[in-house]
């Protein structure tokens, strides 16, 4: 009998599932979310860790994302939501609960904290559906694509912003994302990455922003100057008209970005804003730095940038381009350390790292993309894993309990797995399926014993053990026998067979207390 592998429920690495009917499905371990940790200004003000330390769910619909948020114990309970598939208006509805405040036309991260959204598997695409962060803190968004979000036309979402933050938002890290539109305001689109109404301590890293009239802004008007402390690094801005970004008040740090095809203007520092612009590569663009479309001037500190085929307009009353020979007119102190690639290699580094589904590759300042450090969340030698014994001791809690399941073959019964009789058994209507043991009140369980019926030993292949109440994956492995996991209080526990060499026959599904 092969030993199972106990899964540790730890920061952003455990796997949690909700009911499949709501679009949340079971996940196998993937590359760790937020690999390497936050960078830039998101490391300040206490740091940005998202859902680290909490449970992990897999969602395939927008409704499932909202349900995961609403299913938490509180609005600040850490959670990592692994997203796979296409999220759109058709599968995103409002969900209510004490720990959430959601809406049907957007992914709503409102009045909450300690959340990670990370794309996994074959990728996550938010199609014509924006991500709205409002009155929230400690948010991580990673490895997702958000495309074609409109403010006019049909369908509309999130005011036309791919990712929009407003109203007392703190500590957001957006990393390895692809944000794109298919035109400008006249085609119904607005900004790709907007921050307003007192949004601070934000980093946008290793992301691609393209094919939009507006890259993004910091501050919605000349009087909205309470935003700032934003870092942009190793991003690609491509085929953007302007706002790369527009900065009204506050401080921003732009380093190692590749700006390509900015047709009207780029970094627009105004209304007293300060921009530190380090070792970026500007290519085939116009007016990549300065104060534009206003007489409310901003300032900048420049070093190490390359201007490749950049044109500059003439200064005017509402136009103050930094070029053709950009010079610093302010000084900006940066409170964090950062590895700086030489601007000459930025196009190559950004091409290899920026955007969703690039393997979360990063740069360490050596002009050579690096893979994130691998992490194995299923190490069976972890000393915190319980040590199952065979056979287990104590009372079998399944005797006298209830049971149900996903399906049953003709002539078998769910109740046969809890009757203490090895001569009776349950089989699924096929080679895979699930069976559960349930109680009328919460019961603490730390170990189960799956006993196959005579003549079927070794049939069961891969499996998962689930806390049916919350969807948490308690253990994963292969083969029947004793399976141990961290003690948990629940009303229903499920044994799910995900692979088998024939039709499984489970004679007993025994459960034991610590």
């Amino acid at each position: 009998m092969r030993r199972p592998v106990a899964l540790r429920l730890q920061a952003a690495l455990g796997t949690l599932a909700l009911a499949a009917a709501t679009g949340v499905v079971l996940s196998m371990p993937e590359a760790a979310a937020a690999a390497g940790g936050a960078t830039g200004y998101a490391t300040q003000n206490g740091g940005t860790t998202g859902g680290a330390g909490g449970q992990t769910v897999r969602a395939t619909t927008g409704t499932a994302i909202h349900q995961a948020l609403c299913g938490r114990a509180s609005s600040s309970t850490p959670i990592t939501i692994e997203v796979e598939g296409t999220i759109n208006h058709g599968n995103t509805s409002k969900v209510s609960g004490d720990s959430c405040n959601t809406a049907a036309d957007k992914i709503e991260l409102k009045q909450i904290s300690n959340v990670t959204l990370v794309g996994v598997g074959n990728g996550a695409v938010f199609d014509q559906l924006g991500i709205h962060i409002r009155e929230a803190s400690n948010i991580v968004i990673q490895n997702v694509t958000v495309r074609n979000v409109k403010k006019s036309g049909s369908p509309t979402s999130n005011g036309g912003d791919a990712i929009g933050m407003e109203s007392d938002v703190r500590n957001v890290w957006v990393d390895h994302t692809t944000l794109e539109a298919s035109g400008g305001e006249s085609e119904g689109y607005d900004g790709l990455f907007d921050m307003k109404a007192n949004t601070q301590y934000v980093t946008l890293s290793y992301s691609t922003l393209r094919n939009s009239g507006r890259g993004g802004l910091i501050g919605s008007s000349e009087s909205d100057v309470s935003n700032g402390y934003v870092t942009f690094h190793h991003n690609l801005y491509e085929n953007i008209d302007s706002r790369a970004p527009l900065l009204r008040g506050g401080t921003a740090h732009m380093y190692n970005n590749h700006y390509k095809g900015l047709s009207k203007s780029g970094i627009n520092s105004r209304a007293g804003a300060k921009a530190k612009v380090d070792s970026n590569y500007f290519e085939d663009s116009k007016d990549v730095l300065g104060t534009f479309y206003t007489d409310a001037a901003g300032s900048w500190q420049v070093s190490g940038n390359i201007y490749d085929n950049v044109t500059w307009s003439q200064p005017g009353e509402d136009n103050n381009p930094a070029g053709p020979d950009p010079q610093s007119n302010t000084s900006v102190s940066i409170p964090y350390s950062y590895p700086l690639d030489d601007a000459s290699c930025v196009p190559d580094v950004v091409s290899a790292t920026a955007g969703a589904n690039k393997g979360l590759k990063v740069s360490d300042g050596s002009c050579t993309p690096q893979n994130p450090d691998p992490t194995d969340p299923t190490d069976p030698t972890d000393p915190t894993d319980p040590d199952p014994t065979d056979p287990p001791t104590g009372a079998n809690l399944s005797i006298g309990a209830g049971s149900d399941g996903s399906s049953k073959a003709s002539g078998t019964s769910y109740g046969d797995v809890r009757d203490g009789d090895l001569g009776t058994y349950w089989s699924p209507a096929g080679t895979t399926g699930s069976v559960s043991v349930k109680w009328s009140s919460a019961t603490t369980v730390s170990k189960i014993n799956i006993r196959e019926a005579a003549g079927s030993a070794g049939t069961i292949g891969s499996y998962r053990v689930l806390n049916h109440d919350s969807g948490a994956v308690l253990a994963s492995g292969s083969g029947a026998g004793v399976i141990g996991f961290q003690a948990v209080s629940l009303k229903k526990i499920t044994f799910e067979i995900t692979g088998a060499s024939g039709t499984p026959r489970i004679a007993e599904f025994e459960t034991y207390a610590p």
Side-chain angles (χ1 to χ4, degrees):
M1 178 183 66
R2 287 171 290 179
R3 285 292 186 189
V5 179
L7 289 181
R8 290 171 284 138
L9 301 179
Q10 58 176 321
L13 294 172
T15 307
L16 179 73
L18 298 177
T22 66
V24 179
V25 298
L26 298 173
S27 69
M28 295 299 287
E30 305 249 3
T39 55
Y41 273 116
T43 65
Q44 305 298 292
N45 191 43
T48 304
T49 56
Q55 295 174 316
T56 299
V57 307
R58 175 73 66 89
T60 60
T61 69
T63 302
I65 293 173
H66 286 160
Q67 285 183 322
L69 296 171
C70 296
R72 296 184 296 164
S74 74
S75 62
S76 61
T77 301
I79 189 170
T80 294
I81 304 174
E82 296 179 336
V83 185
E84 184 174 19
T86 300
I87 311 301
N88 55 34
H89 285 261
N91 63 31
T92 301
S93 58
K94 175 181 174 65
V95 178
S96 298
D98 293 338
S99 62
C100 63
N101 189 346
T102 71
D105 65 340
K106 61 180 76 71
I107 296 301
E108 189 80 303
L109 307 180
K110 183 177 181 180
Q111 296 168 344
I112 62 174
S113 60
N114 308 325
V115 173
T116 293
L117 286 180
V118 56
V120 297
N122 293 321
V125 177
F126 294 80
D127 185 30
Q128 303 182 76
L129 200 76
I131 299 174
H132 186 214
I133 305 171
R134 183 182 180 96
E135 299 171 68
S137 63
N138 195 23
I139 305 295
V140 174
I141 299 173
Q142 190 174 47
N143 200 38
V144 304
T145 294
V146 187
R147 68 187 184 196
N148 293 333
V149 181
K150 286 190 172 184
K151 69 174 182 178
S152 62
S154 179
T156 60
S157 176
N158 197 30
D161 295 338
I163 297 178
M165 293 158 269
E166 62 180 309
S167 300
D168 303 320
V169 173
R170 293 290 184 276
N171 290 88
V172 176
W173 179 34
V174 178
D175 178 65
H176 285 91
T177 63
T178 297
L179 311 178
E180 56 190 5
S182 295
E185 188 174 18
S186 61
E187 288 80 26
Y189 305 100
D190 196 13
L192 296 177
F193 194 71
D194 280 12
M195 292 156 276
K196 50 194 174 185
N198 196 24
T199 293
Q200 298 181 358
Y201 301 105
V202 176
T203 294
L204 176 66
S205 58
Y206 299 103
S207 293
T208 294
L209 297 84
R210 63 188 174 205
N211 303 335
S212 176
R214 297 169 171 175
L217 57 76
I218 304 172
S220 59
S221 68
E222 307 293 68
S223 61
D224 183 17
V225 294
S226 61
N227 309 280
Y229 305 117
V230 182
T231 301
F232 303 83
H233 74 89
H234 293 94
N235 303 300
L236 170 65
Y237 285 82
E238 184 175 24
N239 193 25
I240 303 287
D241 287 346
S242 62
R243 302 188 179 184
L246 165 59
L247 174 62
R248 293 175 168 123
T251 299
H253 184 199
M254 298 84 171
Y255 72 90
N256 286 159
N257 300 291
H258 184 197
Y259 302 88
K260 185 177 182 181
L262 308 182
S263 62
K264 296 181 180 178
S265 61
I267 300 169
N268 187 351
S269 179
R270 45 200 275 191
K274 291 185 174 183
K276 183 171 174 59
V277 185
D278 289 335
S279 296
N280 302 280
Y281 196 103
F282 300 95
E283 182 179 5
D284 299 336
S285 298
K286 177 184 178 182
D287 285 344
V288 296
L289 175 64
T291 296
F292 306 103
Y293 323 120
T294 182
D295 60 0
S299 56
W300 44 86
Q301 180 181 355
V302 296
S303 64
N305 301 291
I306 292 177
Y307 306 93
D308 180 1
N309 192 31
V310 171
T311 61
W312 302 90
S313 61
Q314 293 296 315
E317 183 177 348
D318 294 334
N319 222 43
N320 181 27
D325 181 23
Q327 299 294 317
S328 300
N329 57 14
T330 192
S331 177
V332 182
S333 176
I334 300 300
Y336 51 83
S337 60
Y338 54 100
L340 193 62
D341 290 305
D342 189 271
S344 63
C345 68
V346 162
D348 288 340
V349 170
V350 168
S351 177
T353 59
N357 305 315
K358 290 288 187 73
L360 303 182
K361 290 183 178 180
V362 298
S363 176
D364 61 1
S366 66
C367 288
T368 302
Q370 309 289 317
N371 289 314
D373 293 334
T375 304
D376 180 6
T378 60
D379 179 5
T381 64
D382 189 321
T384 65
D385 287 340
D387 180 21
T389 59
D390 189 4
T393 58
N396 174 12
L397 303 176
S398 298
I399 302 297
S403 55
D404 58 27
S406 61
S407 67
K408 55 184 176 180
S410 177
T412 71
S413 170
Y414 300 125
D416 288 342
V417 303
R418 54 177 177 80
D419 62 0
D421 183 356
L422 292 175
T424 62
Y425 61 86
W426 162 85
S427 288
T431 57
T432 61
S434 62
V435 62
S436 303
V437 174
K438 56 186 179 180
W439 300 269
S440 59
S441 59
T443 300
T444 300
V445 179
S446 67
K447 195 177 300 180
I448 68 173
N449 189 17
I450 301 298
R451 297 182 182 270
E452 293 177 286
S456 64
T459 303
I460 294 175
S462 57
Y463 67 78
R464 297 186 182 101
V465 181
L466 312 177
N467 176 344
H468 193 90
D469 300 354
S470 67
V473 178
L474 303 176
S476 173
S478 62
V482 179
I483 303 167
F485 41 84
Q486 297 293 336
V488 60
S489 179
L490 42 68
K491 290 186 177 181
K492 185 174 179 179
I493 187 169
T494 297
F495 182 75
E496 181 187 45
I497 302 168
T498 58
S501 60
T503 300
R505 293 190 294 173
I506 295 182
E508 291 298 304
F509 180 172
E510 300 173 352
T511 53
Y512 295 91

